[in-house]
């Protein structure tokens, strides 16, 4: 901290309904006269396209893009940040990262619990606004974007925007929505309650707690490759991962005993990267079996401390790095 300089960082951990009046008052009365002023805006950035654009226009009138930090904590997770390193720092993946070799890309977010008494808040947004259109779409951009010119924030975000522009609007036939119900045979009291049995959820709500969608990217690299986004609450496990499935090996000589290779990037829990490959079974036989080349962080980096996502991102705000934040045109 330089003597005589007072920097100010404001974190809007507030209901979205008060973003506009609060930011107006910050601009009027709280700007630093001698240092930088930065504002962290939490999701959701509006409830739909119109309200998101309205909030964005309001913030643009008050602050420059360099002062705004639209936070998506998934961009602070170790394995999400590792996507850029894996893709562009290794020759082994680059030549096959396209429609010629890849059959599909599946991005999954699963939680094993329901709303746990917070259904009133969740019901205002649903699983699509809460997870799919921010967390999963940001991961999709990092997995699908072209190589940026540098690792500077604007170069990376320019490439992400190109991906978003190449995605056609979703049709209902490409989506599946669902809402969890209770399991009367479960030993866990929370699991016996369905979404509509949460007393804070409005009666008869049709708010989705599960969503799956198939997106297409109309560009030379990804034409014809489905990007499958899946997210939901009250499912069978806690998991967030990116699963890249490769195409079948052409000219099969193993009588159909091979299965498709997969590259899996596990975001949570137990951060890891592993590749599913075919190998010969040990011993005298010449049969094939599927095995894994496994990099599990807690095994490989036993003494490493992985910072929490918010910890990384708030530090980025202090140092002025916007690489892992969402720009207005995203």
């Amino acid at each position: 901290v330089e003597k005589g300089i007072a920097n100010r960082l404001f974190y809007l951990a507030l209901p979205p309904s008060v973003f506009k009046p609060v930011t107006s008052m910050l601009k009027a009365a709280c700007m630093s006269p001698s240092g930088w002023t930065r504002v962290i805006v939490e999701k959701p950035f509006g409830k739909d396209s119109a309200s998101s654009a309205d909030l964005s226009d309001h913030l643009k009138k008050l602050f420059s893009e360099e002062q705004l930090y639209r936070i998506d904590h998934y961009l602070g997770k170790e394995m999400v940040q590792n996507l850029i390193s894996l893709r562009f720092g290794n020759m082994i993946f680059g030549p096959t990262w396209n429609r010629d070799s890849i059959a599909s890309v599946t991005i999954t977010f699963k939680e094993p619990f329901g709303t746990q008494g917070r259904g009133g808040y969740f019901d205002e947004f649903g699983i699509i606004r809460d997870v799919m259109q921010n967390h999963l779409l940001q991961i999709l951009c990092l997995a699908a974007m072209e190589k940026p010119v540098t690792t500077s924030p604007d170069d990376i975000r320019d490439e992400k925007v190109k991906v978003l522009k190449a995605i056609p609007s979703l049709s209902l036939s490409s989506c599946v929505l669902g809402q969890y119900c209770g399991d009367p045979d479960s030993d866990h009291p929370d699991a016996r309650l369905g979404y509509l049995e949460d007393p804070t959820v409005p009666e008869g709500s049709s708010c989705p707690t599960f969503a799956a969608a198939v997106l297409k990217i109309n560009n030379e690299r990804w034409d014809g490759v489905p990007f499958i986004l899946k997210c939901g609450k009250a499912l069978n496990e806690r998991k967030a991962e990116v699963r890249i499935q490769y195409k079948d090996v052409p000219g099969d000589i193993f009588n159909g005993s091979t299965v498709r290779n997969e590259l899996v990037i596990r975001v949570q829990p137990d951060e890891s990267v592993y590749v599913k490959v075919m190998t010969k079974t040990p011993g005298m036989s010449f049969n094939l079996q599927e095995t894994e080349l496994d990099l599990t962080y807690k095994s490989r980096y036993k003494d490493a401390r992985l910072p929490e996502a918010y910890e990384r991102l708030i530090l980025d705000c202090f140092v002025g790095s916007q690489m892992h934040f969402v720009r207005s045109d995203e």
Side-chain angles (χ1 to χ4, degrees):
V1 178
E2 296 180 42
K3 188 174 182 180
I5 293 179
N7 299 316
R8 295 179 181 176
L9 177 63
F10 298 96
Y11 193 127
L12 301 189
L14 299 167
S17 58
V18 300
F19 277 178
K20 292 174 76 172
V22 168
T23 50
S24 295
M25 295 307 294
L26 287 178
K27 178 65 175 180
C30 299
M31 302 296 285
S32 173
S34 59
W36 52 252
T37 301
R38 294 168 185 158
V39 180
I40 303 174
V41 184
E42 262 282 9
K43 70 176 181 69
F45 312 122
K47 193 175 176 69
D48 52 28
S49 182
S51 59
S52 177
D54 179 58
L55 176 60
S56 183
D57 290 342
H58 170 79
L59 293 173
K60 279 182 182 177
K61 293 174 184 175
L62 301 175
F63 308 104
S64 67
E65 186 64 37
E66 290 71 30
Q67 292 176 304
L68 288 170
Y69 289 73
R70 300 170 190 84
I71 195 167
D72 181 333
H73 76 275
Y74 257 61
L75 292 178
K77 289 187 176 290
E78 178 75 23
M79 300 313 296
V80 174
Q81 294 189 357
N82 207 5
L83 262 170
I84 294 176
S85 304
L86 280 172
R87 285 194 59 192
F88 304 121
N90 296 285
M91 186 63 187
I92 190 171
F93 297 123
T96 63
W97 207 272
N98 53 54
R99 64 189 177 93
D100 297 327
S101 300
I102 291 176
S104 66
V105 179
T106 303
I107 304 171
T108 304
F109 172 94
K110 299 165 77 175
E111 285 183 334
F113 50 84
T115 51
Q116 297 181 324
R118 298 187 295 274
Y121 171 80
F122 180 85
D123 201 79
E124 294 182 37
F125 304 101
I127 196 70
I128 296 173
R129 293 187 187 97
D130 193 41
V131 176
M132 182 177 283
Q133 65 87 28
N134 41 61
H135 301 334
L136 301 194
L137 210 53
Q138 286 292 322
I139 295 174
L140 180 149
C141 289
L142 293 173
M145 71 182 191
E146 296 298 319
K147 187 175 185 176
V149 178
T150 70
T151 56
S152 73
D154 276 336
D155 285 341
I156 289 173
R157 295 190 292 185
D158 285 345
E159 297 303 332
K160 287 161 63 181
V161 169
K162 290 178 186 177
V163 173
L164 294 171
K165 287 180 176 179
I167 300 175
S169 298
L170 267 176
S171 62
L172 282 176
S173 61
S174 299
C175 304
V176 175
L177 302 179
Q179 188 182 89
Y180 72 85
C181 56
D183 178 8
D185 298 324
S186 175
D187 295 330
H188 198 289
D190 184 54
R192 291 196 289 268
L193 297 177
Y195 179 70
L196 295 178
E197 293 168 292
D198 184 330
T200 63
V201 172
E203 186 176 352
S205 170
S206 59
C207 175
T209 64
F210 172 87
V214 180
L215 278 66
K216 298 294 181 68
I217 302 176
N218 288 339
N219 64 19
E220 185 178 10
R221 180 182 294 272
W222 296 115
D223 186 32
V225 178
F227 281 74
I228 305 162
L229 309 186
K230 300 190 292 185
C231 52
K233 302 183 79 66
L235 298 175
N236 62 325
E237 61 181 334
R238 175 176 177 258
K239 182 170 74 172
E241 69 175 23
V242 183
R243 187 174 293 263
I244 293 103
Q245 186 178 90
Y246 285 80
K247 292 183 176 180
D248 293 318
V249 176
D252 176 35
I253 61 172
F254 297 104
N255 300 317
S257 61
T258 60
V259 297
R260 289 179 170 182
N261 300 133
E262 289 185 341
L263 169 64
V264 182
I265 299 143
R266 175 69 60 85
V267 178
Q268 67 180 28
D270 300 330
E271 293 89 344
S272 60
V273 182
Y274 60 92
V275 185
K276 293 188 172 185
V277 297
M278 300 304 302
T279 62
K280 173 189 169 297
T281 54
M284 299 295 292
S285 70
F286 199 71
N287 297 323
L288 296 187
Q289 69 174 15
E290 185 182 46
T291 189
E292 296 171 354
L293 306 178
D294 186 2
L295 169 60
T296 299
Y297 270 48
K298 67 180 182 182
S299 300
R300 177 65 179 84
Y301 305 112
K302 292 180 180 179
D303 298 324
R305 176 186 173 274
L306 298 183
E308 292 293 328
Y310 280 106
E311 189 178 347
R312 297 174 190 264
L313 295 175
I314 292 174
L315 177 60
D316 283 345
C317 293
F318 278 113
V319 301
S321 172
Q322 293 183 306
M323 180 188 296
H324 305 298
F325 291 84
V326 181
R327 201 168 61 188
S328 61
D329 53 351
E330 293 182 61

